[in-house]
Amino acid sequence: MVVVLKKEASLQEITAVREFIESKDIKIHVSQGEYHTVFGLLGEVNEETKEQISSFPAVEHIVPIMKSYKLVSLDFRPEPTTIRINGHVIGNGSFTVIAGPCAVESREQILETAQCVKESGAHILRGGVFKPRTSPYSFQGLGLQGLHYLAEAKEKTGLPIITEILAPEEAVMVAPYVDILQIGARNMQNFALLKALGAMRKPVLLKRGMMATIEEFLLAAEYLLKAGNDQVILCERGIRNFEPSMRNTLDLSAVAFIKQLTHLPIIVDPSHATGKRELVAPLAKAALAVGADGVMIEIHKEPEKAKSDGPQSLHFPTFKKLMEELHRLYPALRPNNP
Ligand code: PEP
Ligand code: MN
């Protein structure tokens, strides 16, 4: 249940509502919007208590949340969540481009790639150092050494960095170096990981599991918010179905739908969604058109020699061209945004 407070309510009046609710042993999640303060009530509220709450002068109205997820719901927080990273704002109409290699392969590779990302005008550098590979014989990532290379690329270019973590123990080790922690599709329902990252004060990019429904996806995000971390970015990266010609099927309708369900920003990963580099640019543009808050794109100087995901990685010139196209399209597709 959500208690929406009147815009003109005084701090004293708001405190009175808060103290009354807390006296009933009900937990409150406060959301301070531009226009309204909203109390999200976690747990059961009986009819009598509901009536008593609505009779406080500060209360505008009460909205029951019928959905299984609460904190991520747009009913709970009607204004979009924005995430500030190094002065760049993710969400609320901006279009964030995260780019980089699937995996950090060497110091030289990540430094060169970072330079390309910077020159292209993209905002955040990605690079996997702990790789979740289907086969245990495939390249597993450079681990901590890779993280140090990634951190050096950040230092040299000023670009914020994101990397995936596979286990809660890694999170504590990796968090001080990076700006965003990534939970990959395979770990979307790794509840220990969700709880661990929920307890941290670091933005999290949560990718949709390849078999996850929209509700399961949002409930995974709910774990992060419930544990106290509301700096969450969702990422649609394709789901599995009967169609074998692409790696996955990019669910752009989910992006448009999720925008109606949650205040959290959602970006699109056309690289893992398709597995084919020639489909990355069209789908990145489609992501912009459908209202996504950004894209995450894999790039490589020599994709033919990449240690992972070469076939879906863009060459540097193609990526730069895509960035120019996105820049040109942005004002036409988002006329109401700066
Ligand atoms: C990745 O982004 O590096 C990755 C492994 O993607 P996903 O978790 O979507 O498969
Ligand atoms: Mn990859």
Side-chain angles (χ1 to χ4, degrees), residues 101-103 126 131 247 269 271-272 298 308-309 312-313:
C102 179
R126 65 153 285 150
K131 292 303 301 173
R247 187 170 175 180
D269 172 350
S271 309
H272 291 91
E298 287 187 341
S308 59
D309 288 349
Q312 69 196 34
S313 300

Side-chain angles (χ1 to χ4, degrees), residues 65 67 69-77 261-263:
I65 299 186
K67 302 187 177 91
Y69 45 86
K70 316 276 178 208
L71 301 173
V72 304
S73 152
L74 205 49
D75 301 332
F76 178 73
R77 185 186 149 93
L261 302 175
T262 180
H263 50 83

